[in-house]
Amino acid sequence: MEEQMPKFIEKVSDIGLIFCITRPKEKIQGSAIDNSWKCLLKTDDVVKAEKRAREKLLCTSIMFNDNGTAEFT
């Protein structure tokens, strides 16, 4: 990627990058892989999930939404 977009990589290296991803509470039916936050963090407890997200994913913000999804930044 550095060869294809050197200016972008340089800028990200200088100022950083914020990335946000939303994960469903449960596996999406028909999906070949389980991409839920429960599977990702290996717990269904939101307190443990938040702790693990901060430790393992280096998240600075975790929000559990009313619809069961979780947003990790």
Side-chain angles (χ1 to χ4, degrees):
M1 188 168 179
E2 192 170 348
E3 293 172 1
Q4 295 170 332
M5 304 171 72
K7 290 182 181 181
F8 174 76
I9 298 299
E10 182 180 347
K11 188 173 183 177
V12 169
S13 296
D14 290 344
I15 63 172
L17 178 68
I18 296 174
F19 179 74
C20 183
I21 188 166
T22 302
R23 291 285 183 212
K25 181 179 181 181
E26 304 292 341
K27 180 181 178 184
I28 297 173
Q29 199 161 11
S31 175
I33 58 170
D34 188 348
N35 61 355
S36 68
W37 63 261
K38 288 181 177 184
C39 180
L40 177 68
L41 299 170
K42 304 201 180 342
T43 186
D44 60 357
D45 179 88
V46 295
V47 174
K48 288 181 183 177
E50 185 169 350
K51 183 179 181 203
R52 290 178 184 172
R54 290 189 190 282
E55 292 173 353
K56 297 184 184 292
L57 305 176
L58 304 177
C59 293
T60 57
S61 173
I62 301 100
M63 184 183 335
F64 292 94
N65 301 311
D66 292 338
N67 66 359
T69 61
E71 295 179 25
F72 303 99
T73 305

